[in-house]
Amino acid sequence: MNDKNIFDFTLKEAVAGLAIVLIIFLCTFISRTYRISKSEALIGTQNTQIYLQQDVTLSELVNILELSNIQFDEDELLWVSPLLGWRTFRKGYYQFDGEYSYNDFLTKLAFGSQDPVSITILPGITIDRFARNLGNTMSFDSSDVRSVFDDSLFVASKKISKEQLFGRMLPNTYDVYWTYSPKQTIEKILSEFKNQVVKQYKSRIDSSDYSIDEIVAMASIVEWEANIEEEKPIVAGLYWNRLKRRMHLQADPTISFAVGERRRLLLEDYKVDHPYNTYTKYGLPPGPVTNPSLQTIKATLYPANHQYLYMVANPEGGHLFNRTYEEHLVDAEKWRKWLRQQYRIKRQRELQESGE
């Protein structure tokens, strides 16, 4: 074999070898690219929820994923994540449902692109219950929430009292981020109060003889007093009538607030020495007794036009309304008679169940 043939053979071998290397490289590249970009790399089932309590490393994330409903290949994830440049993942709440590529999944966690959580604020609750509800949903606990209401500088910055601040915790369902601080969460709710109440009813409030805080204080009384939605404008009108006539409001919700719990009130409770005791103090209490709903605030802003000054509960869960004290005494006696009858029925049932 002459030199030319040897050269041609060697060249062919080199070209063939290079082609093989290129083919192997391309196959490896395509395989790696597919593995990195495949859309079904991770599969979330049943709307999987992941809470990262703090920023975590890749190995910590793998441990968390193993406890979740997400299907994934651990070895592949450990290989892919550093290639994509993701080694740390941010604290937050994340939802996964369906198929995800590694890039989509890891980028979401690395950038902290959280999904919102829903918090529901109920009407007619206390600060403690409000704090517990948020603490059960958010990344902070209930004591952190209570500390905001006890933060004199924060409350003072709003130019309202602690009670007035809580009165503005407008009942609704809010979408917030799990990592919000207690102050951020409360600011979010305050913003909703401003939009839904202060701005929405500005003309009505401006034309009223009362400030927004006085209106909310009255609405909070109505919130605790009226169990039936249709009665709220009537109850609000009754209390406004009392206030205009310089009568004591004599609102039982203010006594419940003064004694610190909602229960059947005793005679001595009405004598408690407290700024919120509307049986002994004239006018509205210094602040709201609870957080009224938007519907209750509206009923207070637009009360029913009537001459009622008195009311007493009825067996249906509502009230009987009267214009005169004499009429009120008659209905009050009917209510007491009904209560005594219910007590006797309950006592007889207890005796029968005990076998006496």
Side-chain angles (χ1 to χ4, degrees):
M1 182 180 293
N2 57 37
D3 291 344
K4 183 177 183 302
N5 290 335
I6 292 173
F7 175 79
D8 290 342
F9 178 77
T10 303
L11 180 61
K12 289 178 180 178
E13 278 190 327
V15 170
L18 180 61
I20 291 172
V21 171
L22 286 173
I23 291 171
I24 293 173
F25 172 79
L26 286 173
C27 289
T28 302
F29 177 79
I30 292 171
S31 174
R32 291 178 65 178
T33 301
Y34 168 74
R35 292 166 70 187
I36 291 173
S37 61
K38 61 183 179 181
S39 61
E40 70 283 4
L42 301 101
I43 302 175
T45 59
Q46 300 174 356
N47 194 24
T48 302
Q49 301 175 339
I50 293 177
Y51 290 90
L52 300 186
Q53 304 290 338
Q54 58 189 9
D55 290 359
V56 299
T57 63
L58 178 58
S59 60
E60 290 171 329
L61 176 62
V62 168
N63 291 334
I64 293 170
L65 293 180
E66 287 177 340
L67 299 175
S68 72
N69 292 322
I70 292 181
Q71 301 172 22
F72 72 105
D73 184 315
E74 179 180 342
D75 292 335
E76 196 168 78
L77 179 63
L78 290 171
W79 169 71
V80 168
S81 188
L83 286 178
L84 294 173
W86 304 129
R87 293 178 173 81
T88 304
F89 308 92
R90 298 185 63 181
K91 172 182 177 179
Y93 166 78
Y94 306 92
Q95 288 183 353
F96 296 98
D97 190 5
E99 298 177 346
Y100 295 84
S101 68
Y102 285 116
N103 190 55
D104 289 341
F105 182 87
L106 295 171
T107 300
K108 180 174 183 176
L109 295 171
F111 276 109
S113 302
Q114 298 182 68
D115 295 289
V117 297
S118 293
I119 55 172
T120 298
I121 308 303
L122 299 174
I125 59 176
T126 62
I127 290 179
D128 284 343
R129 184 175 176 186
F130 173 81
R132 287 197 303 272
N133 288 349
L134 292 189
N136 290 335
T137 304
M138 303 295 287
S139 61
F140 47 77
D141 61 34
S142 58
S143 63
D144 296 324
V145 181
R146 286 190 289 268
S147 68
V148 175
F149 289 96
D150 292 329
D151 185 340
S152 58
L153 291 178
F154 177 77
V155 174
S157 71
K158 306 302 176 186
K159 299 179 180 179
I160 52 179
S161 68
K162 170 183 177 179
E163 290 77 19
Q164 289 167 337
L165 174 62
F166 181 65
R168 297 185 181 206
M169 295 296 96
L170 189 67
N172 206 341
T173 296
Y174 300 84
D175 287 335
V176 297
Y177 290 115
W178 181 67
T179 52
Y180 269 12
S181 69
K183 286 184 180 179
Q184 285 177 309
T185 306
I186 288 173
E187 291 279 15
K188 168 84 172 180
I189 302 170
L190 278 176
S191 177
E192 186 72 3
F193 178 88
K194 182 177 180 180
N195 290 329
Q196 294 297 319
V197 178
V198 179
K199 290 184 178 179
Q200 183 72 24
Y201 297 103
K202 184 179 186 304
S203 59
R204 181 67 176 182
I205 294 168
D206 289 345
S207 63
S208 170
D209 295 330
Y210 303 96
S211 69
I212 181 61
D213 290 314
E214 290 173 323
I215 291 167
V216 172
M218 180 65 87
S220 73
I221 293 173
V222 176
E223 185 67 56
W224 270 7
E225 192 73 80
N227 296 320
I228 300 174
E229 203 69 32
E230 292 74 17
E231 278 194 2
K232 288 181 178 179
I234 304 173
V235 174
L238 184 150
Y239 280 124
W240 286 129
N241 286 344
R242 288 184 181 178
L243 201 61
K244 292 173 183 177
R245 287 166 174 74
R246 186 61 179 168
M247 295 173 61
H248 284 103
L249 283 183
Q250 293 187 332
D252 283 5
T254 65
I255 304 300
S256 296
F257 182 88
V259 299
E261 58 180 322
R262 293 186 69 183
R263 54 170 170 77
R264 187 174 180 181
L265 297 172
L266 306 174
L267 286 176
E268 55 265 30
D269 293 331
Y270 294 96
K271 301 174 184 177
V272 63
D273 184 14
H274 194 281
Y276 277 69
N277 187 342
T278 56
Y279 277 78
T280 60
K281 311 290 184 183
Y282 281 105
L284 286 160
V289 298
T290 188
N291 61 324
S293 69
L294 183 61
Q295 293 80 2
T296 305
I297 294 172
K298 184 177 178 180
T300 305
L301 281 168
Y302 298 92
N305 185 15
H306 56 66
Q307 300 301 315
Y308 295 136
L309 292 172
Y310 304 95
M311 62 183 172
V312 65
N314 63 24
E316 288 73 38
H319 293 86
L320 296 175
F321 299 95
N322 304 114
R323 294 178 177 82
T324 68
Y325 186 62
E326 290 72 24
E327 294 172 345
H328 170 68
L329 290 178
V330 173
D331 285 336
E333 179 55 33
K334 292 178 182 178
W335 170 245
R336 284 191 291 270
K337 182 178 179 180
W338 184 85
L339 285 178
R340 289 194 294 267
Q341 182 182 16
Q342 297 308 302
Y343 176 79
R344 286 195 297 269
I345 293 172
K346 179 181 178 181
R347 180 59 180 160
Q348 288 173 357
R349 186 181 298 117
E350 291 174 347
L351 290 174
Q352 290 173 353
E353 290 175 353
S354 65
E356 295 182 12

